[in-house]
């Protein structure tokens, strides 16, 4: 099963927790074991699994990505002027796979699934692919 979701971002760089939305999709699944792939079809956004207990982690991740990939750099050549967003997305990656066991996402106690925006604000999409499996 493939599910498409749309979300609106509000800042150039942000991490939006989509764990509950993905979990809700999984809870409607007829199989109890398998895997889910969360995929972002954009070149300036990504999907990450990261701590979701302390909001300062999101701040620190975004701050460090900005330090490594500053928005402006004298040697950037990309005509659109958003090279940093492409580099951040490439670093984060376009997808994450999570095991589903007993009808639930098998995430660690402090883990969440994040849509990572690096060129917002925009209207974005992500896909959730459910795959059945055996224990």
């Amino acid at each position: 099963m493939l599910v498409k979701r749309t979300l609106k971002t509000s800042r150039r760089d942000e991490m939006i927790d989509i764990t509950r939305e993905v979990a809700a999709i999984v809870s409607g699944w007829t199989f109890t074991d398998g895997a889910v792939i969360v995929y972002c079809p954009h070149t300036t956004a990504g999907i990450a699994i990261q701590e979701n207990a302390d909001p300062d982690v999101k701040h620190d991740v975004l701050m460090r990505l900005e330090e490594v990939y500053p928005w402006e750099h004298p040697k950037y050549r990309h005509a659109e002027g958003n090279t940093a967003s492409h580099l951040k997305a490439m670093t984060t990656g376009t997808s994450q796979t999570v095991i589903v066991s007993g009808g639930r996402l098998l995430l660690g106690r402090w883990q969440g699934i994040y849509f990572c925006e690096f060129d917002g604000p925009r209207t974005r999409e992500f896909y959730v692919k459910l795959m059945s499996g055996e224990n």
Side-chain angles (χ1 to χ4, degrees):
M1 176 163 79
L2 180 66
V3 177
K4 176 182 173 182
R5 289 291 189 252
T6 302
L7 57 85
K8 291 183 186 270
T9 63
S10 60
R11 295 188 304 272
R12 183 177 74 198
D13 293 313
E14 67 181 304
M15 295 172 64
I16 300 169
D17 190 342
I18 59 171
T19 310
R20 286 186 181 167
E21 191 165 358
V22 174
I25 293 167
V26 168
S27 72
W29 195 18
T30 58
F31 298 97
T32 59
D33 295 295
V36 61
I37 298 172
V38 183
Y39 171 73
C40 169
H42 305 288
T43 61
T44 58
I47 302 293
I49 294 177
Q50 193 46 260
E51 179 180 329
N52 67 356
D54 182 352
D56 287 338
V57 171
K58 293 189 307 186
H59 170 271
D60 294 349
V61 168
L62 293 173
M63 176 195 66
R64 186 65 178 128
L65 284 171
E66 183 63 26
E67 289 172 355
V68 173
Y69 306 116
W71 192 253
E72 295 182 19
H73 190 283
K75 294 185 179 181
Y76 287 161
R77 296 173 63 174
H78 183 45
E80 291 179 28
N82 62 352
T83 296
S85 63
H86 289 282
L87 294 169
K88 292 173 186 179
M90 189 168 70
T91 299
T92 303
T94 58
S95 66
Q96 293 291 325
T97 303
V98 180
I99 295 169
V100 175
S101 180
R104 298 178 55 168
L105 295 170
L106 191 59
L107 290 168
R109 180 177 186 164
W110 307 113
Q111 289 182 316
I113 305 168
Y114 288 91
F115 184 93
C116 302
E117 173 65 79
F118 301 119
D119 198 21
R122 292 181 183 231
T123 299
R124 298 291 201 166
E125 299 169 346
F126 66 93
Y127 292 87
V128 178
K129 174 69 174 172
L130 302 165
M131 299 176 294
S132 64
E134 298 180 21
N135 293 345

